[in-house]
Amino acid sequence: MKNLKYLFISLLAVLFVACDDDFDTPDVTEPVQGTAPVLNELTEEIDLVLMKKNEGETIVELTWSETTFADPIGVRYYVQIDTVGNEFANPLEFDRIAATTTTITVGGLNELISGRYPPAKQVELEARIRAFANEDLNSLYSNAVSMKVTPYLDVPIPSEFYIYGTATSESDVTKALKAYGANDIYTKYLKLTKDGLFKFAEKQGNDGYDYNFGKFATKSDNIEAAGDDAGNFKFTGETGWYKVEADFVSSSLNITSHVVGSATYGFDYDNLYMVGDYNSTDPTWDAGNAVAFTKVSEGVYTIEKALKDGAQFKFIGQQSWGDLDWGNIQENGNTGILGPKTANGNITFDGGDAEYDITVDLNAGTFTIVAKPVFPTELYMTGNGVGPDDENWDWKNELQFVPVNSHPELFWKIVWMKGSGSFKCAPQAAWSNDFGRDGDATNGVYAKGGTDIPVPAIAGYYMVVVDLANNTIEIAEPKVYGMGNVFGGWDGGDPADLFTVDNTNKVIKFDGVPNDGELRMYVDAPTLNCDWWQAEFIVLNDKIEFRGTGGDQDRVNVTAGDNISLNFLTGAGSITTP
């Protein structure tokens, strides 16, 4: 009886342990008992080039049957992706879901596979569903469906695209050269220099996205990494004119020569011509009589033309419809970006019959059309600080400036300033369109604006130069020079030929000219950007006669020892023999 008692206790202990094990871990039968998911077949074949711009779009919606295990356990699902034929030996998985349907987007699939598969190359994939209950149960798997996709390098697609660097004509990103874009492909024709560096930006500024060497999956053979910290590209081809194509669809960058017929396009030609229907004087679309540009420098050409509304024109490298032909890139328009033959349209422009400076820069692959400014032909000053004593803001004495020959933007005047007061300028001797100082004076130069210009604190003669192109007014020490064989030659600028300013007697003079002969006089100032003959004058009939925009002036004969006196306050002049 005693042995039976202990046997009974032992059986209870074994039974208790067995029941405890069953409570913690269910009895699992291998293989797993349950119903595997069945993935619905695709209704159409998937053969797709993935693109960044479509990253939110759906590639496919997958639907499958519900999975049940032998035990009532919650099921979660994973979409697995692997290479066709790899038997899911090393699958990639999307995050788990509880539903039996899911969508795969362009961006989602690209993000999942981009670490394994190179961009811009097609890959054949298959997808299946893995059903999961817990770690102690084997997963159940669905059938697989296949798809062909081409992943992309995940970089932002720019709305605008610019190139710059030492390989181009512009190395500063703030002046980077704009490319033409269509369908996420950007094209630029320009000069590239062998072994120069370059890269791209989304804007002309340092705060834009930087498209460096790592931003393209494939490059043409004439491009390599510069190996610098900036991630520049290095161009290894020969110096020449090329087509640069940045393709964000295929994540490729290609540089190729442009060839038409027998002509491989270059960047520097002796002649360039303008042809089209653009004004009422030049021939219409007559290549044989096309008008020649002026060559400014290597690859740069300019011409001045009147352009009508509805003007259309192109640039050609010969006076015929030959291979050399440039216009607006790809289509008719006025983008400022050049395209060669087979890749251009007419340049279109509404010019209103005004005059324009047209510049073609083959180095940069650009053209510009800039209206020639229309400057007034006359300019006056008035104020309580300039001119005769009775001049006081009423234009009474019409203090007129002298225009500079061949520089319609420049005017000068030597004027008496009273030591107090101020003045303003206007294109007529009246209050209209007047201008003066804008802000504080800097180094004697005043910007165009609306407030009065104060005169210097010391009374005397001063030289005033107005530059309407740069909106500046300079007040400087007056400089008057003699010119001619009287002073030893016609070169100008010799300090020995400089007249003396006599503010006490209100004249500018030269006592005792050194030689017999002919002379003229001219003025100079730091901002008077012209040659001496463009700002000259003579003394004739006891008056100062200014050349202005008129023809060549006479030369005045003098005798050695003669004195010259110029009163710019009254306009009187004299040449006297002591």
Side-chain angles (χ1 to χ4, degrees):
M1 291 294 294
K2 183 178 181 179
N3 290 336
L4 287 173
K5 176 182 177 180
Y6 285 113
L7 177 61
F8 180 70
I9 293 172
S10 298
L11 289 172
L12 286 174
V14 170
L15 180 61
F16 178 79
V17 171
C19 289
D20 186 62
D21 288 343
D22 287 346
F23 182 79
D24 289 337
T25 307
D27 186 15
V28 179
T29 303
E30 296 290 350
V32 175
Q33 293 179 349
T35 304
V38 177
L39 180 60
N40 291 341
E41 295 295 331
L42 302 182
T43 57
E44 57 185 42
E45 181 182 1
I46 298 175
D47 189 348
L48 186 65
V49 176
L50 308 182
M51 289 186 284
K52 172 71 174 177
K53 68 177 182 178
N54 300 328
E55 61 184 347
E57 295 184 5
T58 297
I59 298 174
V60 64
E61 182 176 356
L62 298 179
T63 303
W64 57 92
S65 62
E66 187 174 354
T67 296
T68 56
F69 284 87
D71 297 281
I73 301 172
V75 182
R76 288 154 288 177
Y77 301 99
Y78 295 83
V79 177
Q80 292 188 323
I81 302 289
D82 204 351
T83 309
V84 169
N86 198 40
E87 303 295 336
F88 292 94
N90 186 26
L92 301 168
E93 286 189 337
F94 286 100
D95 290 338
R96 68 185 187 184
I97 56 174
T100 57
T101 182
T102 190
T103 58
I104 297 177
T105 64
V106 169
L109 180 60
N110 196 81
E111 182 180 2
L112 181 70
I113 69 177
S114 60
R116 178 176 296 181
Y117 303 102
K121 293 184 179 180
Q122 188 185 72
V123 59
E124 294 189 46
L125 303 175
E126 53 185 355
R128 72 177 183 182
I129 306 302
R130 177 170 77 92
F132 171 82
N134 66 42
E135 297 296 336
D136 295 314
L137 295 176
N138 288 344
S139 296
L140 296 174
Y141 298 94
S142 74
N143 54 307
V145 295
S146 62
M147 62 184 76
K148 298 176 182 178
V149 295
T150 302
Y152 59 85
L153 193 64
D154 192 5
V155 297
I157 298 175
S159 57
E160 292 184 340
F161 202 56
Y162 298 84
I163 183 173
Y164 67 102
T166 58
T168 76
S169 63
E170 188 49 69
S171 58
D172 187 344
V173 67
T174 63
K175 300 177 182 177
L177 305 171
K178 188 176 181 179
Y180 170 82
N183 302 317
D184 299 329
I185 299 174
Y186 290 88
T187 306
K188 180 68 178 174
Y189 295 90
L190 77 168
K191 174 190 175 182
L192 292 177
T193 302
K194 181 179 176 64
D195 295 330
L197 309 184
F198 68 95
K199 62 177 174 177
F200 304 96
E202 65 175 343
K203 61 166 65 174
Q204 290 177 314
N206 293 302
D207 58 339
Y209 190 84
D210 188 16
Y211 291 87
N212 56 30
F213 189 83
K215 300 302 191 297
F216 293 91
T218 60
K219 277 81 67 175
S220 54
D221 292 339
N222 50 12
I223 306 170
E224 63 182 38
D228 56 7
D229 293 339
N232 278 304
F233 303 84
K234 181 179 179 180
F235 178 64
T236 60
E238 297 300 319
T239 297
W241 212 65
Y242 291 90
K243 175 185 180 182
V244 178
E245 185 177 77
D247 187 339
F248 284 89
V249 177
S250 63
S251 189
S252 63
L253 176 63
N254 292 291
I255 298 178
T256 55
S257 299
H258 187 78
V259 181
V260 175
S262 60
T264 300
Y265 271 62
F267 59 89
D268 185 36
Y269 300 93
D270 290 335
N271 301 300
L272 190 73
Y273 304 91
M274 181 172 174
V275 64
D277 179 11
Y278 50 84
N279 62 27
S280 60
T281 57
D282 291 343
T284 301
W285 293 114
D286 183 357
N289 292 294
V291 182
F293 277 76
T294 297
K295 184 175 180 179
V296 177
S297 60
E298 179 186 89
V300 181
Y301 312 84
T302 186
I303 195 170
E304 295 180 13
K305 280 295 167 188
L307 299 178
K308 66 180 182 180
D309 284 343
Q312 297 195 46
F313 52 93
K314 281 188 172 185
F315 315 121
I316 52 180
Q318 62 286 304
Q319 286 182 305
S320 67
W321 293 112
D323 293 335
L324 298 180
D325 180 318
W326 295 268
N328 189 68
I329 191 166
Q330 295 298 342
E331 58 193 2
N332 292 351
N334 181 27
T335 63
I337 305 172
L338 280 176
K341 192 168 186 173
T342 72
N344 70 31
N346 295 334
I347 298 168
T348 59
F349 192 77
D350 288 332
D353 296 322
E355 293 286 333
Y356 294 86
D357 288 323
I358 303 170
T359 301
V360 176
D361 187 342
L362 295 180
N363 303 316
T366 61
F367 65 90
T368 57
I369 306 170
V370 179
K372 292 184 70 65
V374 179
F375 299 112
T377 57
E378 296 180 344
L379 194 68
Y380 299 83
M381 68 167 60
T382 188
N384 58 6
V386 295
D389 292 338
D390 59 352
E391 171 61 21
N392 187 26
W393 298 111
D394 55 9
W395 307 100
K396 182 169 59 177
N397 291 287
E398 296 191 2
L399 292 169
Q400 186 171 2
F401 281 84
V402 182
V404 175
N405 194 313
S406 302
H407 283 270
E409 77 282 7
L410 290 176
F411 292 83
W412 67 270
K413 186 167 186 62
I414 294 177
V415 62
W416 183 262
M417 295 190 174
K418 301 174 184 178
S420 64
S422 54
F423 70 98
K424 292 184 77 172
C425 305
Q428 65 287 307
W431 291 111
S432 179
N433 299 317
D434 51 279
F435 59 90
R437 185 173 75 170
D438 182 15
D440 295 330
T442 303
N443 298 324
V445 177
Y446 293 79
K448 182 178 178 181
T451 60
D452 299 344
I453 304 170
V455 301
I458 299 176
Y461 275 127
Y462 292 88
M463 177 87 164
V464 180
V465 178
V466 177
D467 184 342
L468 295 176
N470 295 301
N471 293 336
T472 61
I473 306 172
E474 180 191 27
I475 302 173
E477 175 188 352
K479 289 185 177 181
V480 176
Y481 289 91
M483 173 68 65
N485 52 17
V486 169
F487 294 98
W490 295 91
D491 294 331
D494 192 324
D497 305 337
L498 184 64
F499 281 52
T500 300
V501 179
D502 180 357
N503 285 325
T504 301
N505 296 301
K506 298 183 180 179
V507 296
I508 297 177
K509 63 181 183 176
F510 197 102
D511 291 335
V513 298
N515 302 295
D516 294 349
E518 298 175 325
L519 71 80
R520 291 175 183 163
M521 290 155 282
Y522 71 97
V523 296
D524 195 14
T527 58
L528 193 64
N529 186 24
C530 64
D531 293 324
W532 69 266
W533 57 269
Q534 294 171 315
E536 66 180 359
F537 62 94
I538 61 174
V539 173
L540 187 66
N541 299 324
D542 296 326
K543 292 178 60 178
I544 302 173
E545 296 284 349
F546 302 105
R547 174 174 180 171
T549 58
D552 199 15
Q553 283 191 301
D554 292 333
R555 299 177 182 182
V556 178
N557 290 303
V558 296
T559 303
D562 282 355
N563 297 327
I564 303 173
S565 178
L566 307 169
N567 188 322
F568 286 94
L569 184 60
T570 64
S574 66
I575 300 175
T576 58
T577 301

